[in-house]
Amino acid sequence: MELVTGVMGSLLPKLGELLKDEYDLQRGLREKIKSLSRELESVHAVLRKVGAVPSDQLDELVKLWARDVRELSYDMEDIVDMFFVRFNDGHESDDPRPVSIDPRLQALYKRSTELIGVDGPMDKIINMLSPWNDIHLSDKKKIISIVGFGGLGKTTLAKAVYDKLKPDFDCGAFVSVGRNPDMEKVLRDILIDLDKQKYKHSIIMTLNERQLINEIKDLVEKKRCFIVVDDIWDKKSWELIKCALQDSNCGSIVVATTRISEVAMHVGHVYKMEPLSLDDSKKLLYARLAGAQGKCLNIPPAVACEKILNKCHSVPLAITTIASLLVNKPEEDWSEVYNSIGFGHEGNNDVENTRRILSFSYYDLPSHLKACLLYLSIFSEDVEIDKNILIWKWIAEGFVQDEQAAGVELFELGEGCFNELINRNMIMPVEVQYQGYQSKARYNEGYVYGCRVHDMMLDLICSLSKEKNFVTLVDSYEQVELPLSHARRLAMQSMSIKEINRLQLPNMGMEQVRSFLANRCYGISLAFSDFRVLRILALEYCQGKINLSHFRSLYHLRYLGLVNAEITELPKEVGDLMFLQTLDLRETSILELPESVGLLTQLLCLYVDHRTWAPVDLIGKLTSLQELCIRPAYAYDRFYDDKANGMRQFVKALGRLGELRVLQTQIDILDDSMEKDLLESLDNLQKIRSLEILGASRGLNVEWTRTGFISPRHLQRLYLECLEFSGLPAWINSSLLPNLSYLNMTMEVVQEQDMETLGMFPILCYLKLYSRCTKLVSFKHTSNAGYFQKLKSFKIVGSSVRFDLSGCDIESSFMPSLETFETDVHVRFLKDANMLGFDKLGLENLPSSLKRIIVVICCRDASGAEVEEAQAALEHATDSHANSPKLTIMRYGVQIKRPL
């Protein structure tokens, strides 16, 4: 019922749009529209109340009435949209302002793997493994299964064990299986995790099941691996994985998680997961509510919390979900929550009570968030859902609208919806993990790039979605009720050509379908003329050639996604899709965008990769673009004899895209003129939030003193590989860029004052500095003023850093969140400066949060003894550190003595 209000929320503003003078309506029609609008407003108000009531508490007649209104509202909006198409006009509507992820929740996720109720079970599992670690069995693999019902935290526990032990292994993999697994995908995920460099960009997608198993066998036979296989539901899935791991004789460890005791015993030694203790339950609840363990609450809410804890039965998922609900309510209303949840009196059924809590939290959502959440039913179990792609799909569906939030972009509103669902514990954030030395990962570790949905929550979402005809899901495991003639959103997952043909899609009637999504399917054949109101067409990771001809009839299309689809050409009719907002062509075989793409005046997001050439004059016409990810450097080599001319035109075209929020591209700076053009174009990007330009610089210093670039105060990420600065530009300071969280740049030399300036950025999380000049940068911090308060990763290449922290409270004032530190050590330079001793660089002064130190030793002009002295000093400094971080050392510039 709440989903009807979501449709009403977009329909009513459109009816108001029709009343504008620009539409020459027939006599009397204007008054009829006004009358209909008033009637629908009343219906909307009633439906909002109905939508707040759980389905099992509604009268059957009310359900039927709401269902009929829902279907009529879809039909009405479709008719109005078709009218707008004829007038070549769009619409806008209303929504709330964006929010950020609650920092208390981020801290909770971190603590849940380190402190609250995890340490004890983690130690028990490690102890289960340790008796086998003797000289006779060290070459055998060890297998343990963790068993328990949903919501107990099996995955969290397995991840904690994995994070603690993985550094002692050659390689590791953490993969999810799920209830209806695509086993080829599971095997591919294991391979990619075990050896990203070899398999991430190879022909791994073409390997069949037998070939994948053989690849894994070859790898685990030679290396000591730690593999976590999460969420196994049947013995058959385990037997296939076990077959791939059977030749592992290097002391590897496998940890599996499952809900099913029979499966757990079949896998290996069993650890039975228990609920949290009462004390840990309180800590977890209070940590979510107060943001700090053990913080006392006032008496009234504390009483309510005790009652709720009694019904949560120490299940972590239930506790964090209900706490996320309470944190959004005034304290005086907390006692009402307990009485509203509807706990039964039939006994202590932990699973059923958890489901009731999840259901209550769902019905507490505002209507637009309910629609955003139920949309997740299009995704398979246990997948990582890309945040950006999800938000653009929400926007295309009309769940995110912007009329009331003046000055706030649609994507930011969508990101606010995403963050709010995380804050309410309806979805789980997925963060970028440490990617290794000199990684060029697009995002820094700790960045939330996506989400997962707990399988208990996904069960609820899919059930509600099916009940309300929100999404019709078809896959090779679930039987769908035919016909599909009432489906509004049709999602197909992992289906073969035989299974697709059995559905007889051409005969089903697709006139009412608003979204068609196919993932990992084979042999998709569509008649686009059958889709009259289609808004989203996503054919992702689909095999078999896809014919996109004759799709000019898709006038309402907002989203076209063809990621990794077998397609070689984008037809010129794409220019007729006047309302298209997102075009995603990554990992396709499309060599060139047609010129007609330049007609897409409402295009907000364009993704293409290095395989696809985009004509320069086309890019300059897309002035509505907010997000552009394009790597033209390689493509221009193919299509331009004069690469410099092609790149120069592209650089100038960027300056016409004044609406850009996100730019990810590659530019090789070839001369002074091109460099000047680039700086001028960047000055025009006043709304930019994320600026990432890879490519080769000329190796000359840039004096960027232009003032035009000062204004984008919302800039969050800055990565300019293609430019080399003489020093830190004046506009890079905390007062002009207060929202900067990621900085990666190259300078001729890093000065001590630069470190002071950078240390003042309030939310800077990632800092990487390339220096062309070998130097020892002394960071003298003698006061208790806070520096680098949020910094998690600090990397400096070319120079070394000396930390002089005498006279300050290290833990509270200097890099208190630092986890990764990377630097170069130039042995000859430091030896000459008498700075090679272990206590000279001050590494032992870095905070106790430090997890890893990566050092590249430059051996040039140094003797073997001096290099060994330097390495010993680094090892001593690391051993002296309070947290004993993992030290990784690499060498370069070693002189090899040739025989006479």
Side-chain angles (χ1 to χ4, degrees):
M1 280 61 74
E2 70 285 340
L3 299 179
V4 177
T5 68
V7 176
M8 288 290 185
S10 60
L11 174 61
L12 287 170
K14 292 179 183 179
L15 292 176
E17 184 77 13
L18 286 175
L19 298 176
K20 291 183 177 180
D21 292 338
E22 62 188 282
Y23 301 108
D24 187 16
L25 301 177
Q26 294 179 359
R27 181 174 299 179
L29 187 56
R30 190 178 299 273
E31 290 303 318
K32 291 181 180 179
I33 292 175
K34 290 181 179 179
S35 175
L36 176 63
S37 296
R38 288 193 293 270
E39 195 169 340
L40 290 179
E41 285 174 356
S42 300
V43 172
H44 193 196
V46 175
L47 287 172
R48 282 199 299 268
K49 292 187 176 181
V50 173
V53 179
S55 180
D56 58 0
Q57 299 178 25
L58 289 172
D59 182 85
E60 197 63 31
L61 287 176
V62 175
K63 292 183 183 180
L64 293 174
W65 171 79
R67 181 200 65 190
D68 291 342
V69 173
R70 174 185 66 220
E71 298 304 317
L72 284 172
S73 64
Y74 278 124
D75 293 337
M76 284 188 286
E77 187 182 43
D78 290 341
I79 292 170
V80 172
D81 280 349
M82 283 188 279
F83 175 85
F84 281 135
V85 166
R86 295 205 309 269
F87 279 87
N88 191 21
D89 200 3
H91 69 275
E92 293 181 349
S93 220
D94 57 1
D95 211 72
R97 300 188 72 85
V99 296
S100 58
I101 297 177
D102 190 339
R104 294 175 295 185
L105 190 64
Q106 291 179 304
L108 175 64
Y109 270 98
K110 182 178 180 180
R111 283 198 297 270
S112 69
T113 61
E114 295 178 356
L115 294 177
I116 304 177
V118 172
D119 285 348
M122 180 173 63
D123 291 341
K124 289 180 180 178
I125 290 177
I126 294 175
N127 286 334
M128 289 176 69
L129 293 168
S130 59
W132 303 342
N133 287 332
D134 56 48
I135 189 170
H136 301 293
L137 298 176
S138 60
D139 60 340
K140 302 295 184 182
K141 64 178 177 292
K142 302 106 183 178
I143 303 175
I144 281 184
S145 60
I146 303 172
V147 66
F149 61 83
L152 275 180
K154 300 183 294 297
T155 302
T156 299
L157 175 57
K159 184 66 165 60
V161 175
Y162 180 77
D163 288 342
K164 186 174 182 65
L165 298 183
K166 180 178 174 291
D168 297 327
F169 289 76
D170 298 328
C171 55
F174 196 110
V175 299
S176 294
V177 179
R179 196 172 328 187
N180 302 311
D182 177 349
M183 290 309 298
E184 285 190 4
K185 180 180 183 301
V186 172
L187 295 172
R188 281 196 299 268
D189 289 344
I190 291 175
L191 271 177
I192 292 172
D193 274 7
L194 290 177
D195 195 337
K196 289 184 173 64
Q197 296 300 321
K198 180 176 179 180
Y199 293 107
K200 191 168 186 179
H201 300 294
S202 71
I203 59 171
I204 189 173
M205 295 299 295
T206 66
L207 300 181
N208 59 30
E209 189 175 278
R210 179 184 58 81
Q211 292 169 325
L212 290 167
I213 288 175
N214 289 337
E215 287 287 330
I216 295 175
K217 281 184 174 182
D218 290 343
L219 199 154
V220 300
E221 189 177 5
K222 304 168 186 174
K223 294 186 177 182
R224 186 168 184 252
C225 310
F226 190 159
I227 300 173
V228 175
V229 185
D230 187 40
D231 198 23
I232 300 178
W233 283 75
D234 58 79
K235 297 178 184 178
K236 182 180 178 182
S237 298
W238 168 249
E239 284 300 319
L240 192 66
I241 296 171
K242 181 182 177 182
C243 180
L245 303 178
Q246 64 185 0
D247 294 332
S248 176
N249 292 313
C250 298
S252 295
I253 286 179
V254 180
V255 174
T257 72
T258 181
R259 296 187 187 187
I260 304 167
S261 297
E262 186 179 358
V263 173
M265 290 185 288
H266 182 73
V267 169
H269 294 262
V270 177
Y271 175 81
K272 185 178 180 181
M273 190 85 179
E274 299 291 344
L276 295 174
S277 67
L278 179 59
D279 285 344
D280 283 338
S281 297
K282 288 181 178 180
K283 289 178 182 178
L284 186 60
L285 179 67
Y286 287 11
R288 175 67 184 104
L289 293 174
Q293 285 180 276
K295 181 178 178 180
C296 293
L297 302 177
N298 295 328
I299 295 301
V303 172
C305 289
E306 291 292 336
K307 290 182 178 180
I308 290 173
L309 279 176
N310 288 336
K311 285 297 183 181
C312 288
H313 296 290
S314 300
V315 179
L317 178 63
I319 294 170
T320 54
T321 301
I322 202 66
S324 298
L325 175 65
L326 293 175
V327 82
N328 292 305
K329 295 183 177 296
E331 291 184 359
E332 57 267 21
D333 294 343
W334 287 11
S335 59
E336 298 178 11
V337 172
Y338 175 82
N339 298 322
S340 302
I341 291 176
F343 288 120
H345 301 285
E346 63 277 6
N348 296 331
N349 188 328
D350 295 339
V351 175
E352 186 58 34
N353 279 341
T354 301
R355 286 174 178 159
R356 286 189 176 123
I357 289 173
L358 297 179
S359 178
F360 183 82
S361 297
Y362 165 78
Y363 281 103
D364 189 67
L365 293 173
S367 60
H368 70 283
L369 285 183
K370 289 175 182 171
C372 290
L373 182 67
L374 291 199
Y375 193 75
L376 299 180
S377 61
I378 70 173
F379 296 101
S380 302
E381 189 179 44
D382 291 323
V383 301
E384 292 183 356
I385 302 169
D386 184 276
K387 177 181 72 173
N388 288 15
I389 296 302
L390 175 63
I391 292 173
W392 286 119
K393 287 177 178 175
W394 282 348
I395 291 171
E397 285 280 2
F399 302 155
V400 181
Q401 300 154 5
D402 67 349
E403 190 172 87
Q404 285 187 346
V408 181
E409 301 291 350
L410 274 172
F411 187 88
E412 290 179 283
L413 291 171
E415 193 169 31
C417 295
F418 181 89
N419 294 341
E420 183 66 19
L421 290 175
I422 289 177
N423 292 343
R424 290 172 176 262
N425 211 55
M426 310 303 279
I427 59 178
M428 302 177 292
V430 178
E431 297 184 350
V432 175
Q433 302 300 315
Y434 176 69
Q435 299 294 304
Y437 173 70
Q438 287 194 347
S439 167
K440 286 193 176 182
R442 181 179 180 188
Y443 297 110
N444 54 285
E445 54 260 37
Y447 175 83
V448 176
Y449 69 89
C451 69
R452 287 183 183 271
V453 185
H454 193 282
D455 47 10
M456 290 189 72
M457 177 63 74
L458 186 61
D459 286 344
L460 172 66
I461 290 172
C462 291
S463 175
L464 291 169
S465 181
K466 181 178 179 180
E467 174 189 335
K468 302 174 189 307
N469 192 32
F470 189 69
V471 171
T472 302
L473 179 62
V474 187
D475 60 28
S476 57
Y477 308 99
E478 300 290 340
Q479 294 297 319
V480 65
E481 296 180 6
L482 300 177
L484 302 175
S485 56
H486 296 295
R488 299 290 178 178
R489 299 172 183 89
L490 184 58
M492 302 171 61
Q493 297 173 356
S494 303
M495 298 189 69
S496 67
I497 188 169
K498 182 177 179 181
E499 292 163 336
I500 293 172
N501 290 338
R502 191 184 305 139
L503 292 175
Q504 297 182 340
L505 290 177
N507 301 325
M508 288 298 174
M510 298 287 108
E511 294 87 354
Q512 78 293 335
V513 174
R514 294 173 157 230
S515 296
F516 184 91
L517 309 108
N519 186 273
R520 302 184 187 280
C521 294
Y522 186 90
I524 296 290
S525 178
L526 300 173
F528 291 113
S529 58
D530 294 340
F531 293 90
R532 296 174 58 239
V533 294
L534 196 67
R535 287 159 170 75
I536 291 182
L537 177 60
L539 309 176
E540 299 165 344
Y541 298 93
C542 291
Q543 298 179 352
K545 288 189 177 180
I546 298 172
N547 185 359
L548 291 181
S549 60
H550 309 297
F551 75 165
R552 66 177 3 153
S553 60
L554 303 180
Y555 298 115
H556 303 282
L557 202 65
R558 267 76 170 171
Y559 184 102
L560 179 57
L562 302 170
V563 179
N564 206 272
E566 196 170 328
I567 178 172
T568 58
E569 184 179 5
L570 190 65
K572 64 181 180 181
E573 288 85 359
V574 69
D576 295 330
L577 307 179
M578 61 182 74
F579 295 129
L580 194 66
Q581 297 171 328
T582 299
L583 181 58
D584 190 352
L585 304 176
R586 289 171 295 175
E587 300 180 54
T588 66
S589 297
I590 297 174
L591 295 180
E592 181 177 0
L593 293 182
E595 291 282 354
S596 58
V597 171
L599 301 175
L600 301 175
T601 57
Q602 296 195 33
L603 195 66
L604 302 177
C605 175
L606 175 62
Y607 292 141
V608 294
D609 57 28
H610 64 273
R611 301 180 183 92
T612 307
W613 176 58
V616 173
D617 53 346
L618 180 157
I619 294 296
K621 294 176 182 176
L622 301 176
T623 55
S624 295
L625 276 179
Q626 296 181 12
E627 185 165 353
L628 175 61
C629 296
I630 184 172
R631 296 287 179 88
Y634 303 115
Y636 284 130
D637 284 344
R638 297 198 309 267
F639 288 91
Y640 274 97
D641 292 333
D642 184 358
K643 178 180 177 180
N645 182 54
M647 289 302 300
R648 196 183 319 281
Q649 291 183 52
F650 174 74
V651 164
K652 290 181 177 179
L654 291 178
R656 298 195 286 274
L657 307 182
E659 297 297 315
L660 275 183
R661 295 174 42 261
V662 176
L663 174 61
Q664 182 187 8
T665 189
Q666 178 169 338
I667 298 171
D668 294 333
I669 302 296
L670 302 178
D671 52 42
D672 289 341
S673 178
M674 184 181 294
E675 187 177 90
K676 178 176 178 293
D677 291 341
L678 177 60
L679 297 181
E680 290 179 352
S681 289
L682 295 181
D683 280 348
N684 294 330
L685 306 184
Q686 301 297 311
K687 296 184 178 181
I688 199 74
R689 264 71 169 172
S690 177
L691 179 60
E692 176 181 324
I693 306 180
L694 303 179
S697 71
R698 295 185 301 123
L700 300 177
N701 299 325
V702 177
E703 293 288 349
W704 196 350
T705 58
R706 313 173 69 87
T707 58
F709 199 69
I710 293 177
S711 57
R713 293 177 59 84
H714 297 291
L715 186 67
Q716 299 165 0
R717 302 183 72 255
L718 180 61
Y719 182 9
L720 295 175
E721 184 184 59
C722 67
L723 295 175
E724 180 178 323
F725 297 91
S726 57
L728 188 69
W731 50 268
I732 298 185
N733 66 73
S734 58
S735 61
L736 297 177
L737 299 175
N739 298 294
L740 193 67
S741 63
Y742 179 105
L743 178 60
N744 189 334
M745 62 184 300
T746 301
M747 296 187 289
E748 180 186 11
V749 60
V750 179
Q751 304 288 356
E752 284 77 3
Q753 181 58 45
D754 297 335
M755 297 297 296
E756 295 278 348
T757 300
L758 295 170
M760 297 303 294
F761 280 89
I763 60 172
L764 186 65
C765 296
Y766 180 97
L767 175 62
K768 187 166 187 177
L769 302 174
Y770 287 86
S771 173
R772 298 295 184 188
C773 178
T774 300
K775 180 182 178 182
L776 179 65
V777 183
S778 295
F779 190 88
K780 297 180 180 179
H781 185 43
T782 57
S783 69
N784 286 327
Y787 281 93
F788 297 106
Q789 289 296 290
K790 300 294 183 181
L791 194 67
K792 290 185 176 181
S793 179
F794 176 37
K795 308 177 183 182
I796 182 166
V797 180
S799 291
S800 302
V801 176
R802 174 175 178 262
F803 299 99
D804 183 358
L805 307 179
S806 57
C808 72
D809 182 354
I810 299 173
E811 290 298 316
S812 63
S813 64
F814 181 74
M815 296 185 180
S817 303
L818 189 68
E819 297 179 358
T820 302
F821 174 60
E822 293 186 14
T823 189
D824 288 356
V825 168
H826 297 265
V827 177
R828 179 76 271 144
F829 175 82
L830 293 178
K831 185 70 174 179
D832 292 344
N834 193 29
M835 295 295 296
L836 204 57
F838 81 91
D839 58 341
K840 302 293 186 179
L841 298 179
L843 297 182
E844 71 281 0
N845 293 329
L846 291 175
S848 60
S849 58
L850 192 65
K851 295 181 179 179
R852 60 190 70 89
I853 299 176
I854 300 93
V855 179
V856 177
I857 297 179
C858 177
C859 310
R860 190 174 294 114
D861 298 327
S863 66
E866 290 170 335
V867 171
E868 294 302 325
E869 178 189 355
Q871 179 158 334
L874 291 167
E875 291 170 348
H876 191 161
T878 304
D879 292 340
S880 302
H881 190 276
N883 198 39
S884 299
K886 179 182 179 182
L887 175 64
T888 301
I889 293 178
M890 288 160 282
R891 298 181 182 182
Y892 80 95
V894 179
Q895 293 184 349
I896 301 176
K897 293 184 178 180
R898 301 183 181 275
L900 298 175

